[in-house]
């Protein structure tokens, strides 16, 4: 018996709500953390509240993507949503920081299923001429969540209780679960008899765990040139090589390596990684610039990111509409050009740069980044069969997340080294010269007040210049992104002639 026909509108509503929950939980916790630490204690462990979610999320993405190809999108979307809600309920009931960290990891596992499977379902549901528009619309959810997350976290913390930043996921999750369960009726996958690549799954998960732990803990919990750091990076290399060997031997690999022989697919993955790194640099260091240089509050720093995220939303939506009218490369060339302009402008910021100018630069950055969400998702899936759509979509999100993690680590080390060098040059006789200085010092009003005026001004200039140097490095990253875009070739989303005529008639009518 053929499956029932899906109700597309209600299915889209359920998918969008599920995706919003998963992406919102990456940002909603930030403004509530001071209250959570005050209640649960564990100040020395609070960074793991963020890291546990991110690590679990990144590791689980490709695994769920592959399983959805084998056993069905609906099953693993609902399973991921269920795990996410269980994790949310447990987070709200946490009585210690350790419990919260463990439960955040459970949340992250569930979120790792929701993100890639959502975009795969969109590709399954819609014909080619509508996929770009829908991908752009769903890609905009990420930008919206970046704006809503901190605001929602602050509202629940101040007016209700911090636990509701997690409990709010339950009623919304139930609605999403019900909509997908009742109105989404996909056809059964044709490769259900494949065997799960257990060894590949274990070696892949182990390799990524080693890498993520090294990136998250290196330079914080232990030095980069320490035994734990060498052990984690060595474990990553060893397990990753073993993973690659396994994938060449099994009949149904968790990550089909032959996909990377396709130039369009490989360049799409590279572009996703680069864009993830640059976006994270902007999201991390512009708030630091606003707070440390302009003496802005955490709230005002967040407001500076709002125009960037609105730019992401606008360009993601607009970029999706152009897919099918020209090649993926042409659309991404506009995107990477805006990205190069934004990074060049940001590399020239200083203490004399007006704040409105910094905000304008952020809008340009958002316009450049947003286009990549729908385009790389569509280009990676170009001529990919239904049996591999789940893993391919998950790899796009995976590479973007890995890029973000690498970007935070590398740019963090660059900024710290630049700040140290700048202080040594501007304050050669000071106790601060040549010593590691945390930029957080300049974010504390009581500490700033205790520093003599001339010395404080030199410290602020040193901080501003170190952040500008970070963005000078992102110019290089954007140039690497340009190379990946050029490698995408002339491929274009294929639309049947009858569909092209309908689109043309619709454009003429408009």
């Amino acid at each position: 018996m053929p499956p029932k026909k899906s109700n597309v509108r209600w299915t889209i509503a359920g998918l969008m709500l599920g995706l919003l929950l998963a992406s919102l939980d990456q940002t909603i916790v930030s403004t509530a953390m001071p209250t959570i630490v005050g209640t649960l204690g564990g100040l020395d462990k609070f960074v793991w509240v963020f890291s546990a979610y991110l690590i679990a999320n990144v590791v689980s993405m490709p695994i769920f993507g592959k399983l959805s190809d084998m056993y069905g999108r609906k099953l693993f979307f609902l399973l991921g949503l269920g795990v996410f809600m269980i994790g949310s309920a447990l987070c709200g009931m946490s009585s210690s920081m350790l419990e919260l960290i463990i439960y955040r990891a459970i949340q992250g596992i569930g979120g790792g299923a929701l993100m890639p499977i959502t975009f795969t379902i969109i590709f399954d549901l819609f014909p080619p001429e509508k996929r770009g528009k829908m991908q752009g619309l769903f890609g905009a959810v990420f930008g919206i969540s970046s704006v809503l997350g901190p605001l929602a976290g602050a509202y629940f913390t101040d007016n209700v209780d911090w636990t509701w930043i997690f409990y709010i996921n339950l009623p919304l999750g139930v609605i999403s679960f019900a909509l997908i369960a009742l109105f989404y009726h996909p056809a059964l996958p044709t490769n259900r008899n494949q065997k799960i690549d257990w060894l590949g799954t274990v070696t892949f998960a182990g390799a990524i765990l080693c890498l993520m732990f090294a990136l998250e803990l290196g330079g914080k919990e232990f030095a980069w040139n320490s035994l734990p750091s060498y052990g984690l990076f060595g474990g990553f290399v060893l397990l990753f090589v073993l993973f690659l060997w396994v994938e060449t031997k099994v009949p149904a690999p968790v990550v089909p390596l032959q996909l990377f022989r396709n130039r369009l697919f490989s360049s799409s993955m590279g572009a996703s990684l680069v864009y993830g790194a640059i976006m994270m640099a902007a999201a991390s260091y512009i708030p630091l610039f606003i707070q440390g240089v302009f003496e802005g509050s955490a709230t005002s720093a967040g407001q500076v990111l709002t125009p960037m995220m609105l730019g992401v939303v606008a360009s993601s939506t607009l970029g999706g509409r152009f897919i099918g009218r020209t090649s993926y490369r042409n659309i991404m060339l506009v995107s990477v050009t805006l990205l190069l302009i934004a990074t060049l402008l940001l590399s020239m910021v200083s203490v004399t740069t007006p704040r409105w100018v910094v905000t304008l630069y952020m809008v340009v950055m958002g316009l450049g980044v947003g286009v990549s969400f729908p385009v790389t998702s569509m280009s990676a899936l170009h001529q990919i069969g239904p049996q591999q759509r789940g893993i391919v979509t998950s790899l796009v999100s995976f590479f973007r997340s890995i890029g973000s993690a690498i970007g935070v680590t590398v740019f963090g080390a660059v900024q710290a080294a630049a700040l140290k060098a700048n202080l040594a040059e501007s304050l050669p006789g000071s106790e601060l010269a040549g010593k590691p200085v945390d930029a957080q010092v300049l974010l504390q009003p009581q500490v700033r007040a205790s520093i003599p005026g001339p010395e404080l001004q030199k410290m602020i200039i040193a901080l501003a210049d170190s952040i500008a140097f970070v963005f000078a490095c992102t110019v290089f990253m954007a140039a690497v992104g340009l190379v990946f875009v050029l490698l995408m070739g002339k491929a274009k989303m294929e639309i049947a002639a009858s569909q092209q005529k309908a689109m043309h008639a619709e454009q003429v009518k408009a």
Side-chain angles (χ1 to χ4, degrees):
M1 179 183 293
K4 296 179 182 178
K5 187 176 180 181
S6 298
N7 185 310
V8 175
R9 289 186 177 181
W10 286 115
T11 300
I12 290 301
L15 292 174
M16 191 167 286
L17 189 55
L19 182 63
L20 179 64
L21 292 178
S23 56
L24 200 63
D25 254 67
Q26 295 181 350
T27 58
I28 196 172
V29 178
S30 57
T31 49
M33 276 312 299
T35 302
I36 293 175
V37 170
T39 304
L40 302 180
L43 178 61
D44 59 324
K45 301 182 184 71
F46 88 93
V47 68
W48 277 101
V49 175
F50 304 96
S51 299
Y53 185 94
L54 176 63
I55 292 172
N57 193 269
V58 170
V59 171
S60 61
M61 277 182 189
I63 296 171
F64 277 120
K66 177 63 177 180
L67 291 173
S68 76
D69 283 335
M70 295 173 65
Y71 300 108
R73 322 282 186 221
K74 181 174 182 177
L75 170 63
F76 283 95
F77 181 91
L78 295 178
L79 178 62
L81 184 56
V83 171
F84 182 84
M85 287 193 291
I86 290 171
S88 298
L90 291 171
C91 284
M93 295 186 287
S94 300
S95 58
S96 69
M97 187 61 73
L98 179 59
E99 287 185 5
L100 180 59
I101 291 168
I102 293 171
Y103 301 150
R104 281 282 286 171
I106 295 174
Q107 264 194 317
I109 293 172
L114 294 177
M115 290 188 182
I117 295 176
T118 293
F119 287 100
T120 310
I121 292 175
I122 294 169
F123 204 92
D124 290 343
L125 280 176
F126 289 94
E129 73 275 11
K130 292 185 178 180
R131 288 171 184 165
K133 179 180 177 180
M134 296 308 301
Q135 291 275 5
L137 181 63
F138 274 76
V141 171
F142 288 99
I144 293 172
S145 67
S146 299
V147 176
L148 290 181
L151 297 176
Y155 174 80
F156 285 121
T157 303
D158 294 339
N159 299 289
V160 190
D161 186 82
W162 69 264
T163 57
W164 275 92
I165 66 174
F166 302 113
Y167 288 147
I168 190 62
N169 293 332
L170 301 181
L172 297 179
V174 167
I175 295 173
S176 176
F177 193 100
L179 290 175
I180 298 302
L182 294 174
F183 298 109
Y184 177 48
H185 306 291
L188 291 176
T190 58
N191 51 346
R192 294 168 63 91
N193 294 326
Q194 288 184 356
K195 292 183 179 180
I196 297 176
D197 175 17
W198 290 111
L199 185 56
T201 300
V202 171
T203 52
F204 173 82
I208 300 305
L209 280 172
C210 286
L211 176 63
M212 294 299 293
F213 277 123
L215 294 175
E216 290 293 308
L217 297 180
K220 304 180 188 78
E221 298 294 325
F222 47 75
W224 289 112
N225 60 344
S226 65
L227 187 60
S229 182
Y230 295 147
L232 286 170
F233 280 115
F236 162 69
V237 173
L238 180 63
L239 288 170
F240 188 68
V241 170
L242 179 58
F243 163 73
L244 293 178
W245 179 80
V246 170
E247 297 305 89
T248 63
K249 303 299 180 182
V250 295
V254 65
V255 178
L257 298 182
Q258 68 270 21
L259 289 171
F260 291 91
R261 297 174 185 170
N262 183 314
R263 192 176 71 176
L264 178 58
F265 174 84
S266 297
S267 57
S268 298
M269 297 301 110
S272 296
L273 187 144
V274 168
Y275 272 70
I278 294 175
M279 184 173 179
M280 185 54 66
S284 300
Y285 290 102
I286 286 300
L288 180 61
F289 188 90
I290 297 301
Q291 289 181 263
V293 177
F294 293 154
E295 299 185 58
S297 64
T299 302
S300 63
Q303 290 172 346
V304 170
L305 288 181
T306 300
M308 184 184 91
M309 293 309 172
L310 293 177
V312 169
V313 172
S315 65
S316 177
T317 305
L318 185 63
R321 291 179 177 273
F322 279 93
I323 297 176
R325 301 182 185 182
T326 185
S327 68
Y328 304 115
R329 182 175 65 183
N330 287 346
I331 302 173
M332 287 297 291
L333 280 173
V334 176
S335 167
V336 79
T337 299
L338 289 171
L339 208 59
L340 281 165
I341 292 171
T343 52
L344 278 169
L345 292 173
L346 286 167
S347 71
M348 294 184 285
V349 295
S350 67
V351 292
T352 60
T353 305
R355 184 164 167 177
W356 68 268
V357 173
V358 176
T359 302
L360 179 62
Y361 294 169
M362 293 302 290
V363 173
V364 178
M365 174 70 77
L367 291 172
V369 168
V371 176
S372 69
F373 284 103
V375 178
T376 55
S377 296
M378 295 290 291
S379 61
L381 283 163
H382 186 75
Q383 294 185 337
I384 297 293
Q387 297 85 1
Q388 292 184 320
R389 285 176 185 169
I391 182 60
V392 168
T393 305
S394 69
L395 287 173
V396 176
S397 299
F398 171 80
F399 274 90
R400 188 178 291 120
S401 297
I402 287 289
S404 298
I406 294 173
V408 166
T409 302
V410 173
F411 293 135
V414 167
Q415 191 271 332
L419 178 59
K420 178 181 176 181
N422 292 344
L423 288 172
E425 182 180 348
S426 60
L427 298 169
S430 169
E431 295 180 358
L432 296 172
K435 293 184 178 181
V437 177
D438 191 343
Q440 299 296 320
V441 169
L442 294 176
L443 306 185
Q444 302 170 16
Q446 65 274 20
V447 176
R448 292 175 70 113
S450 66
I451 303 173
E455 192 170 274
L456 175 62
Q457 184 61 24
K458 290 181 179 179
M459 290 178 67
I460 292 173
I461 293 173
L463 175 63
D465 290 346
S466 71
I467 295 173
F469 183 69
V470 167
F471 284 109
C473 295
T474 64
V475 176
F476 170 76
M477 289 292 293
V480 173
L482 174 61
V483 173
F484 282 123
V485 169
L486 292 174
L487 288 173
M488 295 177 80
K490 299 180 180 180
K492 177 183 177 182
M493 185 174 69
E494 298 172 355
I495 301 176
S498 60
Q499 295 169 339
Q500 289 179 335
K501 290 180 180 179
M503 287 178 63
H504 178 70
E506 187 176 319
Q507 293 169 17
V508 172
K509 184 178 180 181

